[in-house]
Every structure is written in structure tokens, then in C-alpha cells.
Amino acid sequence: MAVTLQTISPALDSDASTEAWEWMYDGRIDTRRTLLRAEPCTVSLTHAGTRITWTIRPVVFLALARHQNAELLSRAYDFSPHPAE
């Protein structure tokens, strides 16, 4: 999120740029705490009359086991990315 805001901040109007930099200095600490509690959060700013909102959700995952010389669990083959449309 911080990289995105740093990247776009030069193109934002002065108020939106100020909002972005305020979040980068102060807001992202609260955002990190919220994510550590496994809660979603949002970051919003207004540029030229348009409200832009990012929703950030925590992701919980298990690291994949090395499987070079081991068979994957049978359930691993049940996954299909997206149903065919």
C-alpha cells in the first residue's frame, strides 16, 4: 500500500497527496495493528472530487511443503483455481 501511494502521490492534487503522506507516516502503523488482529481495514483519499478507497484484508496461509521426494496430501489435488465459465 505504501509503495502504491508513494508511486501515485506526485500525480495527486495537493490535498490527496497530503492525505497519502499522512497515512504513510501515521496511518500505516494503525493499519498494521489492524491486520495483525486479522481484521480488514481501508485507506481512502479524495482526488479531484473522486473518492479512492483501498480495502486491505489479512491473508492467512500455510507454507507449501517441499514435495520433491514426497507425495502431496490427497486433498492437494482437489483444488481447482476457478470453475469454467
Side-chain angles (χ1 to χ4, degrees), residues 13 45-52:
D13 61 38
L45 55 88
T46 303
H47 168 72
T50 301
R51 187 78 172 159
I52 304 165

Side-chain angles (χ1 to χ4, degrees), residues 1-81:
M1 187 69 234
V3 171
T4 300
L5 288 175
Q6 287 175 344
T7 301
I8 69 169
S9 66
L12 299 172
D13 61 38
S14 63
D15 291 339
S17 183
T18 299
E19 285 181 76
W21 284 99
E22 284 175 357
W23 178 84
M24 284 187 277
Y25 285 114
D26 298 324
R28 76 176 168 181
I29 294 167
D30 293 331
T31 299
R32 185 171 191 276
R33 287 182 184 138
T34 301
L35 291 171
L36 288 171
R37 290 190 308 266
E39 299 172 1
C41 55
T42 60
V43 176
S44 298
L45 55 88
T46 303
H47 168 72
T50 301
R51 187 78 172 159
I52 304 165
T53 301
W54 290 268
T55 301
I56 306 162
R57 292 180 178 83
V59 177
V60 179
F61 65 94
L62 296 174
L64 294 175
R66 292 183 164 255
H67 60 276
Q68 292 173 336
N69 295 324
E71 186 66 28
L72 288 176
L73 298 173
S74 61
R75 299 289 297 168
Y77 298 103
D78 293 344
F79 174 76
S80 63

